[in-house]
């Protein structure tokens, strides 16, 4: 390396831009949660259809991430980033102005398509722009945006909903995206892959995208229609069959969408599974803690959003410290320790009482969880990108982000079933509604702690790398790797009704 890219003004601006991309993607997964009751009344949603304001974005975003990552490698990363931001902005405008529930959901689904292009393109630009110690620092800041975005999304949603109105939750994206597009065109050099259009694996793209979309749809709908119904089982079986067909296809085509040899990069599979379990545990817990604050403690939208501000500060600090520690002690011990610390904080939060107070019953657990969250997301991102060839950086980024979205969908589906079952059991025995809701929310957060604890255990299999290298053939751990050539739910309804 000739010099430190981060030591230059342009390098810092590029990093800030890429972090803004990640922040925007993650924020829009959570920002509308607080606004849902207002949106329901304004546009006439039913309780069952209301969940699609969030789930529509989640399905298209998660289902298309792998395709978006590969397209960034094949068609050009800056091109995909700019196109994704443009789609995101237009769909945000359409959603913010939507006069009907159908148009809002449609806009959210299309907005997810833009996010699926932005996220992997942004991360792959980061891992190919920065090297060595710069990459550790850059990945630390970038990964912190996932945790900050998940927490800040709830805060911003509360502020905008209680202030100018829920429509500004979406409309605010338009000027932000316009500024980011101008910055991307000015700061990021145009990349023109040598094989931009040759041999694109269309069949593989259809199979994996179909499998992801159907699988996510099944997970999101399962708490409402039932896990053992013919519909849920049929959708999950169909999704599994499509994924199996995708794997078979990738092993046979000359230029696969997903070169299976990428999984031979040491630890990449473990890192992606850790991301799935950990991020699912975190976002699912945020979701139910927000419901607890609003529906049991009586917090307003802005109060419940503000409750997460200390968490965002702790996440940023922990991420910064961890990005330095990676170079000294490596990723594996940090992943394991951070996972256990986070799980401990979430266990404290699972013991929330009906008459709880923010300072004594929520803040200690939130701060403890935030410390682990900031450290964990940084090190997992570094581990997932270590040893990935530069021309597969977009694919690796798409795979990591896909794990994140799958984890969110899986966690909310599972936690909803756990919370609803516990609440309904207690209501059937005559337990007061606030007590029953609190018990259900606590069980959901406890399930989140289990998810994160599992991530910590899997961390024992993560690569013990001290940096993240995307240099072809030179993984971070020094071992050569040969990569083949490109040959919302009833619980919310009951809780809202109980408050009215």
């Amino acid at each position: 390396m000739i010099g430190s890219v981060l030591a230059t003004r342009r390098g810092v601006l590029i990093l800030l831009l890429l972090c803004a991309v990640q922040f925007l993607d993650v924020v829009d997964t959570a920002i509308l949660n607080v606004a849902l009751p207002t949106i329901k009344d304004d546009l006439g949603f039913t309780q069952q259809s209301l969940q699609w304001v969030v789930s529509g974005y989640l399905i298209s975003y998660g289902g298309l991430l792998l395709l978006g990552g590969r397209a960034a490698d094949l068609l050009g990363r800056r091109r995909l980033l700019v196109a994704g931001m443009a789609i995101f902005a237009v769909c945000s405008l359409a959603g913010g102005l939507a006069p009907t529930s159908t148009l809002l959901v449609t806009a959210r689904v299309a907005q997810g398509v833009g996010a699926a292009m932005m996220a992997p393109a942004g991360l792959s630009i980061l891992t190919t722009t920065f090297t060595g110690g710069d990459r550790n620092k850059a990945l630390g800041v970038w990964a912190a945006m996932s945790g900050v975005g998940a927490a800040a999304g709830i805060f911003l949603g509360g502020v905008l909903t209680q202030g100018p109105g829920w429509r500004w939750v979406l409309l605010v994206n338009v000027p932000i995206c316009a500024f980011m597009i101008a910055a991307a065109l000015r700061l990021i050099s145009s990349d023109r892959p040598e094989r931009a259009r040759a041999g694109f694996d269309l069949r593989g793209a259809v199979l994996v995208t179909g499998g992801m979309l159907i699988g996510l749809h099944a997970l999101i709908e399962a708490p409402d229609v039932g896990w053992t119904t013919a519909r849920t089982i049929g959708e999950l079986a169909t999704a599994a069959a499509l994924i199996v067909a995708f794997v078979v296809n990738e092993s046979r085509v000359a230029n696969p969408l997903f070169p299976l040899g990428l999984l031979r990069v040491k630890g990449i599979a473990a890192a992606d599974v850790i991301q799935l379990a950990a991020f699912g545990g975190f976002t699912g817990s945020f979701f139910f803690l927000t419901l607890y604050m609003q529906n049991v403690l009586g917090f307003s939208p802005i109060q419940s959003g503000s409750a997460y501000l200390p968490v965002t500060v702790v996440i940023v600090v922990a991420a910064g410290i961890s990005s330095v520690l990676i170079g000294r002690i490596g990723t594996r011990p940090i992943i394991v320790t951070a996972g256990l610390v986070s799980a401990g904080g979430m266990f404290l939060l699972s013991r929330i009482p009906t008459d709880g107070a923010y300072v004594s019953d929520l803040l200690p657990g939130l701060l403890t969880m935030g410390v682990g969250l900031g450290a964990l997301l940084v090190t997992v991102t570094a581990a997932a990108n270590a040893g990935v060839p530069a021309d597969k950086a977009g694919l690796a980024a798409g795979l990591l982000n896909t794990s994140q979205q799958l984890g969110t969908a899986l966690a909310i589906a599972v936690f909803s079933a756990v919370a609803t079952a516990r609440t309904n059991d207690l209501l059937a025995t005559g337990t007061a509604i606030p007590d029953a809701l609190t018990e259900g929310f606590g069980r959901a957060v406890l399930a989140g702690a289990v998810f994160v604890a599992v991530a910590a255990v899997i961390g024992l299999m993560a690569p013990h790398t001290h940096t993240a290298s995307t240099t072809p053939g030179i993984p971070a751990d020094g071992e050569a790797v040969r990569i083949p050539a490109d040959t919302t739910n009833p619980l919310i309804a009951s809780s809202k009704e109980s408050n009215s």
Side-chain angles (χ1 to χ4, degrees), residues 165-235:
W166 72 264
R167 292 184 182 277
W168 281 95
V169 171
L170 293 169
L171 293 176
V172 73
N173 291 332
V174 179
I176 293 174
C177 285
F179 177 80
M180 289 166 58
I181 289 172
L185 293 174
R186 182 176 181 84
L187 294 172
I188 301 173
S189 302
S190 177
D191 53 329
R192 298 180 179 276
E194 296 179 2
R195 294 172 286 116
R197 301 180 184 274
F200 185 74
D201 180 17
L202 179 61
R203 181 168 53 194
V206 171
L207 288 172
V208 72
T209 301
M212 294 287 294
L213 292 175
I214 294 173
L216 283 168
H217 182 271
L219 291 175
I220 290 170
E221 288 281 285
D224 288 330
V225 303
W227 288 91
T228 59
T229 61
R231 171 178 162 180
T232 299
I233 295 173
E235 287 185 344

Side-chain angles (χ1 to χ4, degrees), residues 214-289:
I214 294 173
L216 283 168
H217 182 271
L219 291 175
I220 290 170
E221 288 281 285
D224 288 330
V225 303
W227 288 91
T228 59
T229 61
R231 171 178 162 180
T232 299
I233 295 173
E235 287 185 344
L236 290 175
T238 301
L242 289 173
I243 296 299
V244 170
F246 168 71
V247 173
V248 173
N249 177 79
E250 299 308 279
S251 66
R252 294 180 177 179
V253 297
N255 298 298
L257 175 70
F258 183 86
L260 298 178
L262 183 64
L263 295 177
R264 292 203 298 270
V265 175
K266 185 179 179 181
I268 190 171
D272 287 323
V273 174
I274 293 168
Q275 179 85 339
L276 184 151
F279 203 84
F282 291 131
T283 54
S285 297
F286 285 149
F287 181 80
F288 285 98
L289 287 171

